[in-house]
Amino acid sequence: MEEKRRCGFLPEDRRGKPRLVWARGRASAEECPKSLVTAASVELVERFFAWKFAAGRDAMELTAREADAFLILEKEWRAEQANGQ
């Protein structure tokens, strides 16, 4: 299964040629998306939902990295909502 999904923890020679292994809406990946998720990215998603729950208060206190991530996540969140996901 790991080789079929081209998991990122496998050596490059065991993953085979790049090909689409996951897609949803406008997003796609050529290797298992789970191997692309880091602790830092999970933290940003959790911070985004906490910020969203607080109605976006204190936006000026966000770091540039957080603000950038939150804008991307908000855009994707709205697209999912518009598509009934």
XYZ file of all heavy atoms in Angstrom:
684
model
N 0.825 -1.184 0.000
C 0.000 0.000 0.000
C 0.874 1.254 0.000
O 0.556 2.217 -0.683
C -0.927 -0.020 1.211
C -1.862 1.148 1.268
S -3.068 1.157 -0.034
C -4.520 0.793 0.865
N 1.974 1.256 0.786
C 2.845 2.424 0.849
C 3.439 2.752 -0.516
O 3.546 3.913 -0.887
C 3.971 2.224 1.869
C 3.518 2.231 3.304
C 3.131 0.844 3.817
O 3.246 -0.138 3.038
O 2.692 0.744 4.961
N 3.823 1.711 -1.263
C 4.397 1.948 -2.592
C 3.333 2.420 -3.569
O 3.595 3.286 -4.404
C 5.084 0.677 -3.095
C 6.343 0.364 -2.322
C 6.994 -0.947 -2.721
O 6.492 -1.621 -3.648
O 7.998 -1.302 -2.095
N 2.119 1.887 -3.461
C 1.036 2.294 -4.352
C 0.696 3.769 -4.152
O 0.438 4.490 -5.102
C -0.195 1.436 -4.096
C -1.333 1.701 -5.036
C -2.478 0.740 -4.797
C -3.614 1.021 -5.761
N -4.732 0.112 -5.579
N 0.730 4.219 -2.907
C 0.420 5.622 -2.599
C 1.638 6.529 -2.650
O 1.534 7.715 -2.388
C -0.217 5.719 -1.214
C -1.589 5.131 -1.187
C -2.249 5.417 0.114
N -3.604 4.909 0.124
C -4.392 4.946 1.158
N -3.979 5.491 2.286
N -5.604 4.470 1.094
N 2.798 5.975 -2.935
C 4.046 6.735 -3.029
C 4.334 7.513 -1.753
O 4.601 8.710 -1.777
C 4.028 7.689 -4.227
C 3.846 7.020 -5.560
C 4.076 7.954 -6.725
N 5.502 8.235 -6.836
C 6.047 9.441 -6.628
N 5.296 10.466 -6.307
N 7.339 9.613 -6.747
N 4.266 6.836 -0.600
C 4.494 7.492 0.687
C 5.885 8.112 0.745
O 6.870 7.503 0.331
C 4.298 6.498 1.829
S 2.568 6.004 2.019
N 5.947 9.326 1.276
C 7.177 10.104 1.299
C 8.291 9.521 2.135
O 9.453 9.861 1.930
N 7.968 8.631 3.075
C 9.024 8.053 3.900
C 9.765 6.927 3.189
O 10.802 6.469 3.671
C 8.464 7.558 5.247
C 7.352 6.546 5.123
C 7.625 5.211 4.897
C 6.037 6.956 5.248
C 6.602 4.293 4.782
C 4.999 6.046 5.146
C 5.284 4.701 4.903
N 9.266 6.478 2.040
C 9.952 5.447 1.272
C 11.092 6.066 0.464
O 10.992 7.211 0.027
C 8.982 4.775 0.295
C 7.869 3.938 0.891
C 6.913 3.477 -0.214
C 8.416 2.743 1.633
N 12.167 5.304 0.254
C 13.240 5.806 -0.620
C 12.682 6.092 -2.017
O 11.745 5.422 -2.471
C 14.251 4.663 -0.663
C 13.908 3.776 0.478
C 12.465 3.975 0.779
N 13.225 7.069 -2.695
C 12.735 7.484 -4.010
C 12.648 6.322 -4.994
O 11.686 6.229 -5.764
C 13.642 8.590 -4.577
C 13.123 9.228 -5.854
C 11.864 10.047 -5.660
O 11.730 10.718 -4.636
O 11.004 10.015 -6.564
N 13.612 5.417 -4.975
C 13.602 4.315 -5.939
C 12.454 3.332 -5.700
O 12.046 2.613 -6.612
C 14.947 3.581 -5.938
C 15.298 2.957 -4.600
O 14.900 3.513 -3.554
O 15.973 1.912 -4.596
N 11.887 3.286 -4.502
C 10.755 2.395 -4.215
C 9.412 3.057 -4.497
O 8.383 2.387 -4.541
C 10.785 1.937 -2.760
C 11.870 0.909 -2.501
C 11.782 0.279 -1.152
N 10.463 -0.263 -0.839
C 10.025 -0.457 0.400
N 10.795 -0.164 1.435
N 8.832 -0.957 0.612
N 9.400 4.362 -4.690
C 8.148 5.082 -4.927
C 7.704 5.033 -6.388
O 6.550 5.240 -6.691
C 8.269 6.542 -4.510
C 8.214 6.717 -3.023
C 8.119 8.160 -2.675
N 9.409 8.586 -2.158
C 9.758 9.829 -1.967
N 8.941 10.800 -2.259
N 10.936 10.121 -1.489
N 8.604 4.797 -7.293
C 8.237 4.761 -8.708
C 8.092 6.158 -9.291
O 8.386 7.158 -8.652
N 7.604 6.185 -10.512
C 7.446 7.452 -11.220
C 6.343 8.288 -10.571
O 5.342 7.750 -10.119
C 7.099 7.201 -12.677
C 8.206 6.565 -13.470
C 7.779 6.381 -14.905
C 8.899 5.701 -15.695
N 8.514 5.494 -17.088
N 6.520 9.614 -10.551
C 5.464 10.489 -10.016
C 4.163 10.316 -10.795
O 4.165 10.217 -12.016
C 6.021 11.898 -10.209
C 7.485 11.716 -10.292
C 7.693 10.373 -10.940
N 3.061 10.219 -10.074
C 1.742 10.129 -10.660
C 0.731 10.590 -9.628
O 1.018 10.637 -8.446
C 1.427 8.723 -11.137
C 1.424 7.689 -10.022
C 1.163 6.303 -10.549
N 1.289 5.202 -9.687
C 1.227 5.116 -8.371
N 1.063 6.171 -7.651
N 1.344 3.995 -7.722
N -0.423 10.940 -10.074
C -1.470 11.421 -9.180
C -1.944 10.275 -8.281
O -2.315 9.210 -8.765
C -2.645 11.953 -9.997
C -3.772 12.605 -9.228
C -3.278 13.860 -8.532
C -4.918 12.935 -10.155
N -1.877 10.488 -6.960
C -2.341 9.458 -6.018
C -3.461 9.955 -5.119
O -4.099 9.174 -4.422
C -1.183 8.903 -5.145
C -0.144 8.206 -5.996
C -0.557 9.983 -4.299
N -3.718 11.264 -5.128
C -4.779 11.822 -4.291
C -5.256 13.127 -4.909
O -4.455 13.912 -5.407
C -4.265 12.077 -2.875
C -5.286 12.680 -1.963
C -6.190 12.004 -1.194
C -5.518 14.069 -1.729
N -6.973 12.911 -0.494
C -6.585 14.173 -0.801
C -4.951 15.229 -2.209
C -7.069 15.393 -0.361
C -5.438 16.452 -1.763
C -6.483 16.516 -0.848
N -6.575 13.352 -4.891
C -7.117 14.611 -5.390
C -8.438 14.903 -4.689
O -9.193 14.001 -4.354
C -7.337 14.544 -6.897
N -8.664 16.183 -4.458
C -9.943 16.646 -3.926
C -10.108 18.093 -4.351
O -9.270 18.939 -4.035
C -9.985 16.550 -2.412
C -11.314 17.062 -1.864
C -11.458 16.840 -0.410
N -12.701 17.456 0.031
C -13.289 17.171 1.152
N -12.759 16.276 1.950
N -14.394 17.766 1.489
N -11.164 18.361 -5.068
C -11.378 19.720 -5.559
C -10.207 20.172 -6.410
O -9.816 19.503 -7.351
N -9.623 21.309 -6.035
C -8.491 21.861 -6.791
C -7.151 21.353 -6.284
O -6.119 21.668 -6.852
C -8.514 23.386 -6.694
C -9.771 24.007 -7.257
C -9.819 25.489 -7.014
N -9.728 25.724 -5.563
C -9.419 26.879 -5.019
N -9.169 27.914 -5.757
N -9.368 27.010 -3.711
N -7.144 20.573 -5.204
C -5.889 20.092 -4.611
C -5.570 18.686 -5.093
O -6.465 17.866 -5.284
C -5.993 20.105 -3.094
N -4.302 18.418 -5.281
C -3.868 17.076 -5.666
C -2.456 16.833 -5.135
O -1.753 17.776 -4.762
C -3.893 16.917 -7.191
O -2.971 17.795 -7.796
N -2.065 15.561 -5.100
C -0.732 15.210 -4.621
C -0.188 14.026 -5.407
O -0.953 13.143 -5.813
C -0.765 14.872 -3.131
N 1.111 14.033 -5.612
C 1.772 12.932 -6.296
C 2.420 11.957 -5.314
O 3.122 11.043 -5.727
C 2.816 13.467 -7.271
C 2.193 14.214 -8.437
C 3.212 14.716 -9.426
O 4.411 14.821 -9.065
O 2.811 15.003 -10.555
N 2.200 12.176 -4.034
C 2.589 11.208 -3.016
C 1.585 11.308 -1.883
O 0.815 12.264 -1.814
C 4.017 11.416 -2.517
C 4.251 12.645 -1.683
C 5.700 12.755 -1.232
O 6.605 12.601 -2.064
O 5.913 12.994 -0.035
N 1.553 10.321 -1.044
C 0.570 10.265 0.029
C 0.557 11.589 0.798
O 1.588 12.026 1.296
C 0.905 9.116 0.971
S -0.194 8.999 2.383
N -0.596 12.256 0.869
C -0.643 13.543 1.561
C -0.262 13.446 3.036
O 0.253 14.402 3.603
C -2.088 13.995 1.411
C -2.725 13.092 0.459
C -1.872 11.897 0.300
N -0.481 12.299 3.653
C -0.141 12.168 5.068
C 1.350 12.332 5.299
O 1.755 12.805 6.346
C -0.624 10.828 5.622
C -2.125 10.789 5.772
C -2.554 9.571 6.521
C -4.063 9.614 6.717
N -4.534 8.550 7.562
N 2.159 11.961 4.328
C 3.605 12.118 4.498
C 4.036 13.568 4.298
O 5.170 13.928 4.592
C 4.373 11.192 3.545
O 4.079 11.500 2.204
N 3.138 14.421 3.811
C 3.451 15.836 3.615
C 3.080 16.684 4.822
O 3.507 17.818 4.940
C 2.700 16.370 2.387
C 2.975 15.672 1.058
C 2.044 16.207 -0.018
C 4.424 15.836 0.645
N 2.264 16.145 5.716
C 1.792 16.887 6.880
C 2.846 16.841 7.980
O 3.326 15.781 8.347
C 0.452 16.308 7.393
C -0.002 17.018 8.648
C -0.602 16.401 6.312
N 3.204 18.011 8.491
C 4.174 18.093 9.574
C 3.463 18.539 10.849
O 2.322 19.003 10.800
C 5.274 19.123 9.245
O 4.673 20.415 9.183
C 5.965 18.794 7.926
N 4.147 18.429 11.961
C 3.583 18.901 13.227
C 3.299 20.399 13.146
O 2.288 20.878 13.665
C 4.537 18.592 14.376
N 4.164 21.133 12.458
C 3.965 22.580 12.325
C 2.714 22.892 11.511
O 1.974 23.822 11.837
C 5.193 23.223 11.679
N 2.446 22.112 10.452
C 1.251 22.378 9.648
C -0.014 22.011 10.412
O -1.027 22.710 10.304
C 1.313 21.658 8.299
O 1.436 20.270 8.448
N 0.030 20.950 11.198
C -1.118 20.589 12.040
C -1.365 21.698 13.059
O -2.512 22.093 13.297
C -0.895 19.229 12.742
C -1.979 18.965 13.775
C -0.842 18.104 11.729
N -0.299 22.239 13.622
C -0.441 23.326 14.593
C -1.106 24.543 13.951
O -1.984 25.165 14.550
C 0.920 23.717 15.162
C 0.818 24.876 16.139
C 2.167 25.409 16.592
O 3.206 24.962 16.076
O 2.161 26.285 17.465
N -0.714 24.878 12.725
C -1.314 26.030 12.050
C -2.800 25.806 11.788
O -3.606 26.728 11.948
C -0.586 26.330 10.745
C 0.718 27.092 10.889
C 1.464 27.134 9.564
C 0.466 28.498 11.400
N -3.183 24.600 11.409
C -4.605 24.310 11.191
C -5.371 24.435 12.510
O -6.455 25.020 12.557
C -4.797 22.917 10.562
C -6.268 22.527 10.532
C -4.214 22.882 9.151
N -4.799 23.910 13.591
C -5.446 24.025 14.898
C -5.555 25.483 15.342
O -6.594 25.909 15.863
C -4.689 23.204 15.936
C -4.844 21.707 15.715
C -3.984 20.863 16.634
O -3.114 21.409 17.356
O -4.188 19.644 16.638
N -4.507 26.260 15.114
C -4.542 27.687 15.465
C -5.586 28.424 14.621
O -6.281 29.313 15.103
C -3.177 28.335 15.256
C -2.177 28.011 16.323
C -0.850 28.700 15.971
N 0.113 28.497 16.996
C 0.361 29.372 17.976
N -0.287 30.515 18.029
N 1.262 29.103 18.890
N -5.700 28.041 13.345
C -6.698 28.661 12.468
C -8.103 28.441 13.010
O -8.889 29.380 13.100
C -6.583 28.087 11.053
C -7.737 28.449 10.160
C -7.879 29.735 9.688
C -8.685 27.499 9.803
C -8.949 30.079 8.859
C -9.755 27.831 8.988
C -9.881 29.122 8.513
N -8.426 27.210 13.394
C -9.771 26.940 13.893
C -10.013 27.620 15.238
O -11.126 28.086 15.500
C -10.057 25.445 13.944
C -10.388 24.896 12.587
C -9.495 24.085 11.920
C -11.582 25.213 11.966
C -9.790 23.588 10.658
C -11.893 24.730 10.703
C -10.989 23.910 10.050
N -8.998 27.742 16.069
C -9.150 28.479 17.327
C -9.388 29.960 17.027
O -10.255 30.599 17.635
C -7.914 28.301 18.203
N -8.638 30.505 16.079
C -8.792 31.904 15.679
C -10.174 32.131 15.071
O -10.851 33.106 15.378
C -7.690 32.253 14.684
C -7.770 33.618 14.099
C -7.398 34.793 14.686
C -8.237 33.963 12.797
N -7.610 35.842 13.826
C -8.122 35.360 12.659
C -8.733 33.218 11.728
C -8.490 36.028 11.497
C -9.096 33.881 10.578
C -8.976 35.271 10.473
N -10.609 31.205 14.229
C -11.922 31.316 13.586
C -13.025 31.242 14.642
O -14.003 31.994 14.577
C -12.089 30.209 12.551
C -13.269 30.385 11.654
C -13.101 29.501 10.431
C -14.175 29.724 9.426
N -14.265 31.089 8.932
N -12.871 30.363 15.619
C -13.849 30.230 16.697
C -13.953 31.527 17.493
O -15.021 31.898 17.959
C -13.467 29.066 17.613
C -14.447 28.830 18.721
C -15.679 28.235 18.472
C -14.145 29.208 20.016
C -16.581 28.017 19.492
C -15.042 28.990 21.045
C -16.270 28.397 20.787
N -12.829 32.230 17.625
C -12.805 33.508 18.355
C -13.222 34.664 17.454
O -12.972 35.822 17.778
C -11.419 33.748 18.933
N -13.852 34.370 16.325
C -14.349 35.369 15.372
C -13.232 36.231 14.783
O -13.441 37.395 14.473
C -15.428 36.227 16.017
N -12.053 35.668 14.630
C -10.959 36.393 13.990
C -10.419 37.552 14.787
O -9.839 38.474 14.235
N -10.605 37.530 16.069
C -10.106 38.623 16.914
C -8.587 38.648 16.930
O -7.923 37.639 16.739
C -10.635 38.455 18.333
C -12.131 38.646 18.397
C -12.607 38.762 19.821
N -14.034 38.955 19.842
C -14.899 38.021 20.213
N -14.479 36.854 20.609
N -16.181 38.267 20.211
N -8.043 39.820 17.186
C -6.603 40.018 17.325
C -5.819 39.597 16.081
O -4.730 39.059 16.180
C -6.071 39.277 18.560
C -6.725 39.734 19.838
O -7.087 40.924 19.922
O -6.884 38.910 20.748
N -6.361 39.857 14.907
C -5.666 39.503 13.669
C -4.333 40.231 13.546
O -3.396 39.708 12.949
C -6.549 39.810 12.464
N -4.232 41.406 14.122
C -2.981 42.159 14.043
C -1.878 41.543 14.897
O -0.715 41.878 14.740
C -3.217 43.611 14.457
C -4.171 44.365 13.541
S -3.636 44.391 11.817
C -2.233 45.458 11.941
N -2.242 40.645 15.775
C -1.243 39.984 16.612
C -0.687 38.715 15.976
O 0.195 38.081 16.540
C -1.844 39.668 17.986
C -2.159 40.907 18.790
C -2.720 40.592 20.162
O -2.597 39.444 20.613
O -3.285 41.511 20.772
N -1.195 38.350 14.807
C -0.691 37.165 14.116
C 0.691 37.436 13.541
O 0.986 38.549 13.114
C -1.628 36.777 12.972
C -3.055 36.376 13.326
C -3.869 36.178 12.047
C -3.076 35.126 14.178
N 1.508 36.401 13.502
C 2.787 36.519 12.792
C 2.483 36.526 11.305
O 1.393 36.143 10.872
C 3.717 35.343 13.126
O 3.136 34.132 12.600
C 3.954 35.204 14.622
N 3.439 36.943 10.508
C 3.254 36.956 9.057
C 2.976 35.539 8.547
O 2.131 35.337 7.674
C 4.488 37.536 8.376
N 3.660 34.557 9.110
C 3.460 33.158 8.705
C 2.043 32.701 9.025
O 1.390 32.053 8.210
C 4.486 32.282 9.420
C 4.433 30.838 9.022
C 5.637 30.093 9.630
N 5.625 28.727 9.198
C 5.299 27.703 9.967
N 4.985 27.887 11.230
N 5.310 26.475 9.499
N 1.559 33.043 10.221
C 0.200 32.673 10.610
C -0.826 33.380 9.721
O -1.776 32.750 9.255
C -0.061 33.027 12.074
C 0.652 32.147 13.053
C 0.522 32.649 14.486
O 0.391 33.874 14.699
O 0.556 31.803 15.397
N -0.628 34.667 9.489
C -1.563 35.422 8.656
C -1.637 34.829 7.254
O -2.731 34.661 6.700
C -1.153 36.893 8.601
N -0.506 34.487 6.682
C -0.468 33.884 5.353
C -1.202 32.542 5.354
O -2.036 32.277 4.487
C 0.981 33.719 4.900
C 1.097 33.237 3.477
O 0.357 33.748 2.610
O 1.931 32.348 3.216
N -0.892 31.710 6.336
C -1.541 30.396 6.430
C -3.041 30.552 6.644
O -3.842 29.848 6.012
C -0.922 29.583 7.568
N -3.447 31.468 7.494
C -4.867 31.652 7.786
C -5.636 32.150 6.562
O -6.774 31.754 6.342
C -5.060 32.608 8.960
C -4.662 32.044 10.299
C -3.984 30.838 10.420
C -4.944 32.728 11.451
C -3.615 30.323 11.650
C -4.594 32.225 12.705
C -3.917 31.025 12.796
N -5.012 33.017 5.772
C -5.666 33.481 4.549
C -5.888 32.325 3.574
O -6.953 32.207 2.965
C -4.846 34.584 3.883
C -4.877 35.940 4.568
C -3.856 36.884 3.936
C -6.272 36.537 4.495
N -4.892 31.481 3.432
C -5.015 30.309 2.557
C -6.087 29.363 3.093
O -6.955 28.901 2.341
C -3.662 29.577 2.419
C -2.674 30.450 1.644
C -3.840 28.211 1.746
C -1.245 29.971 1.698
N -6.038 29.082 4.395
C -7.023 28.188 4.996
C -8.435 28.758 4.908
O -9.396 28.019 4.650
C -6.650 27.879 6.441
C -5.423 26.987 6.614
C -4.951 26.994 8.058
C -5.713 25.571 6.143
N -8.586 30.058 5.102
C -9.903 30.689 4.996
C -10.454 30.573 3.575
O -11.626 30.264 3.375
C -9.841 32.159 5.428
C -11.167 32.863 5.389
C -12.189 32.349 6.402
O -11.786 31.839 7.471
O -13.394 32.453 6.121
N -9.591 30.796 2.594
C -10.012 30.675 1.199
C -10.482 29.252 0.907
O -11.535 29.054 0.293
C -8.849 31.048 0.276
C -9.167 30.940 -1.190
C -7.956 31.301 -2.028
C -8.213 31.029 -3.488
N -7.016 31.222 -4.298
N -9.721 28.273 1.352
C -10.086 26.875 1.119
C -11.336 26.491 1.907
O -12.186 25.748 1.420
C -8.919 25.944 1.455
C -7.721 26.124 0.540
C -8.058 25.925 -0.933
O -8.829 24.995 -1.275
O -7.553 26.694 -1.754
N -11.464 27.006 3.129
C -12.642 26.752 3.964
C -13.915 27.251 3.245
O -14.915 26.555 3.155
C -12.477 27.444 5.313
C -13.694 27.418 6.173
C -14.680 28.358 6.251
C -14.079 26.389 7.083
N -15.631 27.982 7.154
C -15.291 26.783 7.686
C -13.495 25.186 7.469
C -15.937 25.997 8.618
C -14.147 24.413 8.399
C -15.351 24.820 8.970
N -13.829 28.477 2.714
C -14.985 29.048 2.015
C -15.319 28.268 0.741
O -16.481 28.080 0.410
C -14.736 30.513 1.698
C -14.761 31.379 2.931
C -14.541 32.830 2.623
N -14.492 33.601 3.863
C -14.619 34.902 3.919
N -14.800 35.607 2.818
N -14.573 35.516 5.071
N -14.297 27.816 0.036
C -14.538 27.010 -1.178
C -15.232 25.696 -0.826
O -16.155 25.268 -1.515
C -13.211 26.737 -1.901
N -14.793 25.063 0.259
C -15.440 23.823 0.714
C -16.886 24.069 1.097
O -17.778 23.290 0.763
C -14.681 23.219 1.890
C -13.336 22.636 1.537
C -13.458 21.274 0.868
O -14.161 20.387 1.397
O -12.841 21.115 -0.200
N -17.140 25.171 1.804
C -18.495 25.496 2.220
C -19.388 25.778 1.003
O -20.538 25.364 0.956
C -18.490 26.704 3.157
C -17.795 26.453 4.479
C -18.439 25.338 5.277
O -19.636 25.342 5.497
N -17.645 24.382 5.701
N -18.856 26.466 0.015
C -19.616 26.787 -1.187
C -19.948 25.532 -1.996
O -20.975 25.485 -2.664
C -18.832 27.768 -2.060
N -19.094 24.530 -1.899
C -19.313 23.277 -2.631
C -20.105 22.263 -1.811
O -20.242 21.117 -2.221
C -17.977 22.667 -3.059
C -17.297 23.507 -4.127
O -17.954 24.137 -4.935
N -15.983 23.532 -4.101
N -20.569 22.670 -0.624
C -21.364 21.775 0.201
C -20.580 20.653 0.837
O -21.132 19.613 1.172
N -19.302 20.852 1.040
C -18.454 19.813 1.645
C -18.454 19.902 3.152
O -18.537 20.880 3.746
C -17.011 19.930 1.134
C -16.907 19.783 -0.357
C -17.129 18.376 -0.857
O -16.860 17.415 -0.164
N -17.682 18.265 -2.031
